[in-house]
Amino acid sequence: MKIQLTHNYDDIICLENLLEAWKEFAKGKRSKQDVQILQMYLMDNIFVLHDELLHHTYKHSHYQAFKINDPKPRDIHKAIVRDRLLHHAIYRKLYPFFDRTFIADSFSCRLEKGAHKSIDRFRKFSNIVSKNNTKNCWILKCDIRKFFANIDHEILVKILQGYITDKNILWLLEEVISSFSTKRKNNVGLPLGNLTSQLLVNIYMNKFDQFAKHNLKVKYYIRYADDFVIFSEDKKYLENIIPKISDFLEIQLKLKLHPNKVCIKTLFSGVDFLGWINFSDHRVLRTSTKIRMMKRIMENPKQESLNSYLGMLGHGNTRKLQQKLEIAYMDSK
């Protein structure tokens, strides 16, 4: 039997939680005009929000749409400040519970996880399967097509109902989930800009994580958002589980593997995962990432950006690249 959420609705909508959520949300954003407007009459705004939530008259507002390149074009949908405050209040109470239900090798949007630890786990698994580079290590790499845009609302709500019995919490989550749909389909898709979306997609994909670990009995598996890898000494085994993975994703979650991003490669030939090309004894940065990094530091030479890039590069074999980046930074100042 699944564990059940012990928080009740009032734990989420109470004034104390809304105020704590505001502190977390507003950190680093107080210079923004929309944040300042809500801050001007903060307690009045929070009392009104609390009252609407209490009497179920709250309605999620519209989203502001814009595009970013990170590195490929992405559609971002940004909620208004009041709704983002509520997202933080929901997240504060739900994340600690659901994080306990996730497998250890799910790394995206989780505290004390992240891309760097995912890459380190990749190295550890490759060493185990290859027996410290004495045997072939085959790696199946998969990517889900248009991940956020294809999250099915009905399936997501059913998953949530398996963990949450409080009907008021479910009403609130449905209000947030249904506030957005893709242009192609109603009741499908989550906005990339929402904090709650980061948690909800992990809850959604946890169903697949559990299938991989308990039904397919995959021992060496890592997932980061919509990218996942499986390690094995046996290439045929990996070939045979692809149809099972595809069927589960399509039938249970209405998701599809990206046809051009499913491959099986040896560690010796290099595996592209989370921006790094991973080999048996080293990793190097993807060429497109190098070019983008150099361009950005030359166009906007800030010390904090340089420090961030150097910190990231410290996780691979990049000494020469670090030197080039520092030179580009100095030349661009």
Side-chain angles (χ1 to χ4, degrees):
M1 182 178 176
K2 290 179 182 176
I3 60 171
Q4 301 289 307
L5 179 72
T6 56
H7 285 303
N8 59 39
Y9 185 58
D10 188 60
D11 292 331
I12 294 174
I13 72 164
C14 68
L15 294 173
E16 181 184 4
N17 190 48
L18 292 175
L19 281 167
E20 288 300 317
W22 172 257
K23 290 177 186 176
E24 292 174 6
F25 165 75
K27 190 175 182 181
K29 302 185 184 77
R30 296 186 189 276
S31 63
K32 297 184 180 295
Q33 186 178 12
D34 53 355
V35 175
Q36 289 176 349
I37 291 171
L38 194 142
Q39 173 80 55
M40 194 177 301
Y41 300 102
L42 178 61
M43 289 312 302
D44 289 344
N45 286 317
I46 285 182
F47 275 121
V48 170
L49 177 58
H50 171 73
D51 188 69
E52 290 180 11
L53 292 167
L54 185 64
H55 295 97
H56 285 207
T57 58
Y58 166 80
K59 292 293 180 185
H60 199 287
S61 299
H62 63 281
Y63 289 88
Q64 176 191 356
F66 58 94
K67 294 182 181 291
I68 63 169
N69 291 293
D70 185 33
K72 60 184 179 182
R74 296 183 187 275
D75 293 317
I76 303 295
H77 293 84
K78 181 181 176 182
I80 66 171
V81 170
R82 194 176 84 132
D83 294 329
R84 285 150 67 198
L85 160 61
L86 177 60
H87 298 166
H88 274 259
I90 294 169
Y91 186 88
R92 292 187 80 249
K93 296 301 180 183
L94 264 57
Y95 173 82
F97 166 76
F98 277 106
D99 191 65
R100 297 198 303 271
T101 72
F102 299 154
I103 66 169
D105 292 314
S106 162
F107 286 88
S108 177
C109 300
R110 296 179 66 190
L111 296 176
E112 299 181 6
K113 295 282 185 178
H116 296 324
K117 291 200 174 180
S118 181
I119 289 294
D120 290 341
R121 191 69 161 167
F122 187 105
R123 171 67 58 83
K124 181 176 181 179
F125 281 174
S126 64
N127 285 338
I128 292 171
V129 174
S130 69
K131 295 181 170 52
N132 292 324
N133 304 322
T134 61
K135 293 187 176 295
N136 245 343
C137 175
W138 294 93
I139 300 171
L140 167 63
K141 182 179 182 297
C142 299
D143 181 287
I144 295 171
R145 190 171 191 174
K146 295 182 178 178
F147 180 42
F148 274 79
N150 285 302
I151 301 295
D152 186 275
H153 294 181
E154 184 179 349
I155 293 173
L156 176 56
V157 169
K158 284 183 179 177
I159 293 171
L160 291 168
Q161 288 171 344
Y163 295 97
I164 301 171
T165 57
D166 189 313
K167 292 182 179 179
N168 292 318
I169 295 178
L170 289 170
W171 167 80
L172 178 57
L173 291 174
E174 287 187 58
E175 177 64 31
V176 173
I177 292 166
S178 64
S179 67
F180 176 85
S181 290
T182 63
K183 292 179 180 178
R184 297 182 299 106
K185 298 179 185 177
N186 286 328
N187 303 318
V188 174
L190 291 177
L192 273 168
N194 279 6
L195 176 64
T196 48
S197 296
Q198 298 175 9
L199 174 61
L200 291 171
V201 294
N202 270 339
I203 294 170
Y204 199 82
M205 281 301 290
N206 185 51
K207 196 172 176 70
F208 174 71
D209 295 339
Q210 300 297 337
F211 169 77
K213 298 298 289 184
H214 300 296
N215 293 77
L216 295 181
K217 307 292 185 184
V218 173
K219 191 172 182 181
Y220 303 110
Y221 163 87
I222 298 169
R223 182 178 65 81
Y224 189 94
D226 57 340
D227 289 332
F228 58 92
V229 287
I230 298 173
F231 302 73
S232 177
E233 293 180 36
D234 186 350
K235 183 182 180 183
K236 193 68 178 175
Y237 164 75
L238 295 177
E239 290 172 344
N240 289 340
I241 65 172
I242 293 174
K244 297 176 183 178
I245 289 170
S246 180
D247 287 348
F248 181 88
L249 288 170
E250 290 196 35
I251 295 168
Q252 298 296 325
L253 299 176
K254 294 188 180 178
L255 297 173
K256 292 186 177 182
L257 293 174
H258 197 301
N260 301 326
K261 295 183 179 180
V262 175
C263 63
I264 300 175
K265 299 182 72 175
T266 63
L267 194 61
F268 179 78
S269 64
V271 177
D272 188 339
F273 185 57
L274 301 184
W276 294 91
I277 310 299
N278 297 268
F279 295 91
S280 57
D281 57 352
H282 69 288
R283 64 175 75 103
V284 295
L285 206 61
R286 188 189 295 157
T287 300
S288 59
T289 307
K290 293 180 192 177
I291 294 170
R292 187 172 67 255
M293 188 182 296
M294 293 294 290
K295 182 180 178 182
R296 285 181 178 175
I297 204 68
M298 291 172 72
E299 290 176 348
N300 191 17
K302 291 185 177 180
Q303 184 66 51
E304 55 267 32
S305 298
L306 176 66
N307 292 342
S308 177
Y309 287 142
L310 293 176
M312 183 191 77
L313 292 173
H315 292 267
N317 301 78
T318 60
R319 189 178 58 160
K320 289 184 179 179
L321 179 58
Q322 290 180 54
Q323 291 172 347
K324 287 182 180 179
L325 198 65
E326 288 174 331
I327 292 169
Y329 167 75
M330 294 301 297
D331 288 347
S332 301
K333 288 187 70 176

